[in-house]
Amino acid sequence: MHAKGVIRTLLAGTAAIVSAGTAMAQTAPGPAGTNAGTTVTNTAQASYSVNGVQQTAASNPVSFVVDRKVNLTVTTNQPANTQVAIGQAGAVTTFKVTNNTNGTQDFLLSTSQTPIQGLFTGDNFDVSNIKIFVDANNNGTYEVGTDTATYINELAADASAVVFIVADVPNQQSAALAGITLIAQVAAGGDIAAQGVPLAASVALNDDNVVDVVFADNDSDGLGLDTALNGQGRASLGYEITTRNVSLSVAKSQLVLSDPINQLVAPKAIPGAVVQYCLVVNNATTGTPASNVTLTDIIPPNTTYVANSISIGAIALGNTCLLTGIVGGVPLADNGSVTVPLLNYTGSYNTSTKTVSATIPTLLGGTSVAALFRVTIN
């Protein structure tokens, strides 16, 4: 009897990558890599023959889930420091946060004014009233009332978001430069309605069934302000004082509105006549706002102030105000209790000093604002 040899041939196992709910085997991952939580399953196959009959056998399947490789970059999103004037309110610096993590993440945002040696030599003041906002419509321009989110919510892998730091510059003549740093911290994603908590690196042995967290941000700055593998990124810009004054002027005009004899028809400046004063303040320096502009005017002798006659925002024609009525601006109360909506203009009258005051928080470059008040001739 002849013994027949049994030939067995072990072929290399073939692997199938299966994503939970997605066809990852057919779609190349982005730079961040395969999404965290993706299940990778592998089954080996063997083929052999017995007495000329081809046979097959399969191994048991093994699988693991892809862990979360946490990484990010924070960069400036403008070519140079923000140029500001002394006392400027709401000055903006712009940054970009990119999610290099292989999953959708939230990002918590904070700031620091710790001077970075060598980067901000000459840093000698701090900004105040610091606020952080996320660009809501991806246009790269800060818009009050539109950009209101204070953290980055559900940023997809390989996607970026623009972030604004908005702050006030002090009215300090010696001010020259203030460094400001945006700090982004990777946080848990997955809940579109809530801010995620900061991620923590997994320290236990790898569990094939658990999405572990591994920090991969190798971005130590060597200064101790940022260390590698901490899930944080940062970038810095400066508020740089370049303008210490603007071309601001105030023009005053007067108009007799009525008198007891002629009424409104060609009135004259006789006792009992009502005279309207117009103050037009103009900022002729384009691009540089003037902050906290305050106009004051003492009621002249031989006249009496007309109660509650202050108004701000009147339409001006050159250095004079247009007549009266609906073009006369927003009426203000003498006690300062009324504020012009959105613009926050205020005005008041001091009966002791007989002084009319009007305050304009921000007068943009290239714009004018007019204020009115009235007196009667004694």
Side-chain angles (χ1 to χ4, degrees):
M1 181 176 69
H2 298 284
K4 295 183 178 180
V6 179
I7 301 174
R8 298 182 179 180
T9 303
L10 180 63
L11 300 180
T14 58
I17 300 177
V18 181
S19 174
T22 61
M24 289 299 295
Q26 301 175 15
T27 305
T34 303
N35 284 345
T38 299
T39 300
V40 178
T41 301
N42 180 280
T43 303
Q45 301 288 334
S47 64
Y48 60 97
S49 63
V50 177
N51 295 327
V53 180
Q54 194 71 22
Q55 307 288 342
T56 62
S59 74
N60 59 292
V62 293
S63 63
F64 62 88
V65 294
V66 176
D67 292 328
R68 194 172 305 276
K69 183 182 179 183
V70 176
N71 202 356
L72 76 162
T73 55
V74 182
T75 60
T76 60
N77 200 47
Q78 59 187 62
N81 291 336
T82 295
Q83 311 298 303
V84 296
I86 292 174
Q88 182 175 336
V92 179
T93 51
T94 309
F95 301 82
K96 179 183 286 186
V97 177
T98 301
N99 180 19
N100 301 320
T101 305
N102 59 333
T104 298
Q105 306 298 147
D106 288 356
F107 290 83
L108 310 185
L109 306 171
S110 60
T111 64
S112 171
Q113 294 195 77
T114 301
I116 300 177
Q117 185 177 4
L119 184 58
F120 290 109
T121 301
D123 184 310
N124 70 340
F125 76 94
D126 286 342
V127 291
S128 62
N129 193 29
I130 301 172
K131 298 178 181 178
I132 307 175
F133 299 106
V134 180
D135 191 357
N137 51 18
N138 298 315
N139 67 353
T141 301
Y142 173 60
E143 297 169 306
V144 179
T146 298
D147 303 321
T148 58
T150 57
Y151 71 97
I152 300 174
N153 188 32
E154 299 300 298
L155 186 63
D158 301 316
S160 298
V162 172
V163 177
F164 308 106
I165 295 179
V166 183
D168 296 342
V169 178
N171 190 12
Q172 177 182 326
Q173 291 298 316
S174 62
L177 179 69
I180 191 76
T181 299
L182 174 70
I183 305 168
Q185 169 73 58
V186 183
D191 187 347
I192 196 171
Q195 175 179 296
V197 298
L199 292 181
S202 300
V203 295
L205 295 176
N206 181 65
D207 186 335
D208 289 339
N209 299 310
V210 174
V211 179
D212 293 320
V213 174
V214 179
F215 288 146
D217 54 306
N218 189 18
D219 57 350
S220 174
D221 58 14
L223 302 173
L225 300 176
D226 191 16
T227 58
L229 311 180
N230 65 350
Q232 290 186 3
R234 61 180 62 206
S236 299
L237 279 167
Y239 290 103
E240 189 172 351
I241 303 292
T242 56
T243 304
R244 296 185 176 274
N245 201 357
V246 296
S247 178
L248 190 141
S249 62
V250 181
K252 183 174 181 178
S253 61
Q254 61 190 20
L255 177 67
V256 179
L257 296 179
S258 65
D259 71 44
I261 306 302
N262 299 296
Q263 302 298 319
L264 299 176
V265 180
K268 304 298 186 292
I270 62 176
V274 176
V275 179
Q276 177 172 274
Y277 287 109
C278 168
L279 305 177
V280 178
V281 57
N282 173 259
N283 178 2
T285 304
T286 302
T288 303
S291 301
N292 302 316
V293 178
T294 300
L295 302 173
T296 58
D297 198 342
I298 299 176
I299 299 301
N302 302 310
T303 66
T304 300
Y305 172 72
V306 177
N308 298 309
S309 65
I310 304 170
S311 63
I312 299 181
I315 298 176
L317 180 62
N319 290 329
T320 61
C321 296
L322 295 183
L323 299 177
T324 58
I326 61 173
V327 295
V330 177
L332 303 177
D334 288 346
N335 62 4
S337 61
V338 178
T339 301
V340 178
L342 300 179
L343 300 173
N344 297 321
Y345 300 157
T346 59
S348 63
Y349 177 67
N350 188 315
T351 56
S352 299
T353 62
K354 296 184 178 181
T355 301
V356 173
S357 298
T359 300
I360 302 162
T362 302
L363 181 61
L364 298 177
T367 65
S368 299
V369 173
L372 304 173
F373 68 92
R374 297 174 183 176
V375 298
T376 57
I377 301 174
N378 296 339

